[in-house]
Amino acid sequence: AESIHIVDRSGASSNVHGYPYDDNTWQAGINLSWQLYQGGAINANIRQKHTQIYQLKDQKNQLLLSIDLKLRTALLDLVNQSVNLKASKKSALFAAKSLAMIEDSYAKGKASFLDLADAQQTSLNTNQLALNSVYNLLNSGLRLERALGTYSFMKTDEQRTAFQTRLDAYFKANH
């Protein structure tokens, strides 16, 4: 009883009679492909991607430094405007006291009209500088909030109070 074992494409097998069935033969194949010409391109792509990663990391660090610089600049500007406001308020107060003294002297006939006009002009100028200092302080506060990425009018009262407390503590620690 000779038979041959046949396997078709569907995977079904059958025996054909009249041929000896040899169950001891095996075949195996390995396909190995090495892309010689693309190997350099793959390494170049890998190096390019590593370079891009380093560039992105550098851009990230530059952006973080830029944000830090903007925050520090805005905070220092706010500190500067706060000091300017205090100084301009004192100047306005002293100018008002000087004006009161000149008015009293003018009423007694001891000061001239030019002295009075000069004192009035000085008082007016220092009051205007004090008002400009308030505006500059508020403007600096808004620039700081912009640098922080949040605005106080969008916060709750507790959050505003906590921020103001931290800001005041910073001012006291650095002045």
Side-chain angles (χ1 to χ4, degrees):
E2 294 181 9
S3 66
I4 189 167
H5 192 71
I6 297 176
V7 179
D8 68 3
R9 289 180 188 235
S10 68
S13 65
S14 63
N15 291 331
V16 176
H17 295 294
Y19 294 99
Y21 178 66
D22 188 8
D23 198 20
N24 293 331
T25 55
W26 290 88
Q27 287 185 349
I30 296 175
N31 185 9
L32 179 64
S33 65
W34 187 308
Q35 299 173 350
L36 293 176
Y37 296 110
Q38 291 183 355
I42 291 172
N43 287 336
N45 285 339
I46 290 172
R47 284 192 302 271
Q48 182 183 16
K49 298 304 177 190
H50 282 294
T51 302
Q52 288 175 347
I53 289 171
Y54 291 131
Q55 287 174 343
L56 289 173
K57 285 181 181 178
D58 188 47
Q59 286 177 354
K60 177 186 171 189
N61 289 336
Q62 291 296 323
L63 183 61
L64 290 175
L65 289 173
S66 174
I67 291 169
D68 185 56
L69 179 64
K70 284 183 181 184
L71 281 171
R72 289 178 187 271
T73 301
L75 187 58
L76 288 175
D77 186 45
L78 185 65
V79 170
N80 185 35
Q81 295 304 328
S82 175
V83 170
N84 286 346
L85 177 62
K86 289 177 185 176
S88 63
K89 282 184 176 181
K90 282 184 182 179
S91 294
L93 178 67
F94 291 138
K97 287 181 180 180
S98 176
L99 177 61
M101 289 181 2
I102 295 292
E103 285 175 340
D104 186 46
S105 294
Y106 181 75
K108 293 179 181 177
K110 295 182 181 178
S112 70
F113 177 75
L114 290 175
D115 291 335
L116 178 63
D118 188 39
Q120 287 174 337
Q121 186 65 37
T122 301
S123 180
L124 179 66
N125 287 341
T126 56
N127 284 333
Q128 187 176 9
L129 287 174
L131 290 173
N132 284 342
S133 294
V134 171
Y135 170 78
N136 290 336
L137 179 70
L138 292 173
N139 198 11
S140 293
L142 286 174
R143 278 196 298 270
L144 175 63
E145 288 182 347
R146 181 175 185 214
L148 289 170
T150 181
Y151 292 100
S152 59
F153 60 84
M154 299 174 75
K155 295 181 180 179
T156 64
D157 288 337
E158 294 82 22
Q159 290 172 328
R160 277 193 294 270
T161 304
F163 177 75
Q164 189 64 43
T165 302
R166 288 192 314 269
L167 195 59
D168 290 341
Y170 176 81
F171 284 147
K172 288 178 183 175
N174 293 303
H175 290 95

